[in-house]
Amino acid sequence: MRHILIVTLSIFTLTFSGCGSGNKEVDSSKLHTLITEAIAGDEDANEALQGLISSKHFGNNDYNQLTIDGFKLNDEQYYSVLLEYPDPTLNLFAIYDSELNFYLLDKSLNGNLSIEWATSGKRLFVFLQERFLTKDVLSLDRLSIYEVFDETASLVYRSLSRFVEGNDVSNQTVELITKAFIVTKVSGLKDKAIDNQADTFYFNTDAKKYLSKWNLFNKYVKQQIKEFSWIVTKPQIPSDILEDGNTLIRQGYQISLGADWEEIPSYKEDKLLLKSLVGTKFINRSLNTSITILEIPQGENAEKYSPYSFEKPTMGDYKIRTTAIYDSGSNYSQILEHSCGKNKFLLLFECPKKVYLEKKKMFDQIISSFTINC
């Protein structure tokens, strides 16, 4: 077992805690077989995996890598699953135990992916690195840190960790991890006023993540990209990956949105529902797109409000049900229900058809970032 006191970020929200599948214990080979069978369309294999593989993956064997890594701690065996495709909207990262209990699923990953298991004292982490390009030639790394608990796992930290422009390389490294905060150090920055400075990410109990008030490295990288002049020819990563503090924490839920979304509290929604509900509406006026979040009163279900039928829910204690994407004149619309314990929320998405086709990846990541409190 390897204990880490200092870790490097250069090794951007959706988690589910699941119940046991009832199957016999599996090893990495058996897990690999189940995943390849599920990708091939085997419904029994996918049910054993508690719905890891979506219909978008069925029959799609054109993946860059399917990597399964195991880690044993205190007689508990854990497995990480990394599925990477040329199309990043299909990327998956998941954590299981040896009895196929489903700990976590993250679908918000881009570029080339790699993971490493690590411990710090009695705490167990997975470090996941994404490496991708922006403006065709600028290389970026982003690190996500997931912590594994007794029956679930959670994304607790996410920040850019490396930026390469020509021969100039800048980094953000973690110096210390505690329960209360993570200390990082930035280096290689052209801005000498902040080069070799420390940044502190304090644990936010509402977001259940380590967040920085300053976010020095992300802000620096974002400014460097903004000032870099280049005629872009390749598809670009979503701009929200580079946003600072874009996770909005509200009563009962959180969602990651950029600065160009306007918040309208106490909004009464009745156009897309059978019966009106009051919640919060977020509008991106430049894209003429809206996302409305509404809490369902306890004891009621989504069918009372949604005019559309829902597909089969995800497995586990945290359940998500979605309708199909419906054609409503010049727009597309969709309704999602998130439920955990007694808490139930609806997410309503509405967008012009042309904008949706152009920005689908960005919208998928925003919708995937929405989580409710259990």
Side-chain angles (χ1 to χ4, degrees):
M1 186 185 304
R2 184 165 55 82
H3 294 266
I4 289 184
L5 294 178
I6 300 176
V7 293
T8 303
L9 284 178
S10 56
I11 316 181
F12 30 214
T13 207
L14 180 63
T15 64
F16 304 88
S17 58
C19 301
S21 64
N23 293 348
K24 296 180 179 179
E25 288 195 0
V26 298
D27 56 18
S28 58
S29 176
K30 174 62 175 177
L31 186 54
H32 189 282
T33 299
L34 283 172
I35 294 170
T36 55
E37 290 175 347
I39 292 173
D42 187 320
E43 293 184 1
D44 290 336
N46 201 31
E47 184 175 350
L49 294 167
Q50 301 192 51
L52 173 70
I53 302 303
S54 73
S55 59
K56 297 186 299 182
H57 297 87
F58 292 158
N60 190 343
N61 294 306
D62 186 30
Y63 46 81
N64 297 331
Q65 64 165 318
L66 170 55
T67 303
I68 299 171
D69 288 315
F71 194 92
K72 194 168 187 177
L73 180 67
N74 298 330
D75 296 325
E76 291 291 337
Q77 180 68 50
Y78 303 96
Y79 295 101
S80 61
V81 176
L82 197 61
L83 183 58
E84 176 194 314
Y85 279 86
D87 177 0
T89 64
L90 299 176
N91 290 346
L92 297 176
F93 171 67
I95 298 175
Y96 290 91
D97 66 14
S98 59
E99 296 181 352
L100 283 183
N101 291 306
F102 201 3
Y103 281 58
L104 175 139
L105 173 62
D106 192 339
K107 301 185 291 183
S108 62
L109 304 170
N110 296 271
N112 302 120
L113 310 176
S114 60
I115 75 106
E116 182 177 351
W117 287 86
T119 60
S120 179
K122 296 181 180 179
R123 301 173 72 187
L124 178 60
F125 299 98
V126 181
F127 298 89
L128 188 151
Q129 175 187 273
E130 305 161 76
R131 177 164 293 181
F132 43 83
L133 295 176
T134 187
K135 288 195 173 178
D136 296 352
V137 295
L138 303 178
S139 178
L140 288 167
D141 285 13
R142 183 173 73 163
L143 180 79
S144 299
I145 301 178
Y146 307 87
E147 184 166 4
V148 182
F149 305 100
D150 289 341
E151 296 180 350
T152 186
S154 178
L155 173 66
V156 296
Y157 171 95
R158 175 170 281 173
S159 186
L160 296 176
S161 56
R162 182 173 177 267
F163 175 63
V164 181
E165 179 184 347
N167 295 322
D168 295 326
V169 181
S170 53
N171 295 280
Q172 177 171 215
T173 58
V174 169
E175 302 293 317
L176 178 67
I177 299 178
T178 74
K179 285 285 188 181
F181 55 81
I182 290 176
V183 177
T184 71
K185 183 179 180 181
V186 299
S187 60
L189 279 59
K190 297 177 183 177
D191 186 347
K192 300 306 177 184
I194 58 174
D195 191 30
N196 293 315
Q197 296 297 308
D199 200 352
T200 303
F201 293 72
Y202 291 97
F203 189 77
N204 184 297
T205 54
D206 292 325
K208 294 182 174 58
K209 292 180 181 179
Y210 291 94
L211 304 174
S212 168
K213 178 181 179 180
W214 305 109
N215 224 337
L216 295 176
F217 193 70
N218 277 27
K219 289 182 178 179
Y220 170 80
V221 171
K222 186 177 178 181
Q223 186 63 30
Q224 294 301 304
I225 293 172
K226 182 179 179 180
E227 294 175 356
F228 184 76
S229 178
W230 186 266
I231 299 175
V232 175
T233 61
K234 300 177 182 178
Q236 297 299 293
I237 62 169
S239 60
D240 64 299
I241 283 180
L242 306 175
E243 290 292 339
D244 305 312
N246 63 335
T247 299
L248 300 177
I249 303 166
R250 297 296 180 264
Q251 184 66 39
Y253 68 88
Q254 64 184 57
I255 188 170
S256 295
L257 294 166
D260 49 351
W261 289 79
E262 174 187 345
E263 182 174 353
I264 304 175
S266 302
Y267 180 84
K268 183 179 180 180
E269 174 61 59
D270 50 17
K271 185 179 73 170
L272 297 178
L273 299 178
L274 294 173
K275 185 178 179 181
S276 66
L277 278 174
V278 176
T280 301
K281 187 167 188 174
F282 299 94
I283 298 177
N284 188 314
R285 297 195 184 277
S286 64
L287 300 178
N288 199 25
T289 298
S290 68
I291 291 175
T292 307
I293 299 171
L294 307 148
E295 184 172 10
I296 300 175
Q298 288 193 8
E300 298 184 355
N301 56 46
E303 280 75 10
K304 183 175 181 178
Y305 298 93
S306 174
Y308 311 126
S309 59
F310 289 92
E311 297 175 356
K312 186 178 179 180
T314 58
M315 301 291 289
D317 296 332
Y318 191 116
K319 292 182 171 58
I320 301 176
R321 296 193 297 165
T322 67
T323 69
I325 297 176
Y326 285 90
D327 184 328
S328 51
S330 60
N331 291 345
Y332 285 135
S333 62
Q334 186 179 31
I335 300 177
L336 299 89
E337 180 204 45
H338 285 239
S339 61
C340 187
K342 296 181 179 180
N343 300 329
K344 293 183 180 180
F345 281 80
L346 291 179
L347 184 150
L348 281 58
F349 172 74
E350 189 172 25
C351 177
K353 295 176 181 177
K354 183 178 179 181
V355 173
Y356 178 78
L357 295 175
E358 293 174 352
K359 303 287 186 179
K360 181 179 183 301
K361 181 179 177 182
M362 182 188 75
F363 294 138
D364 286 347
Q365 289 194 326
I366 291 174
I367 291 171
S368 293
S369 75
F370 176 70
T371 57
I372 70 172
N373 298 340
C374 292

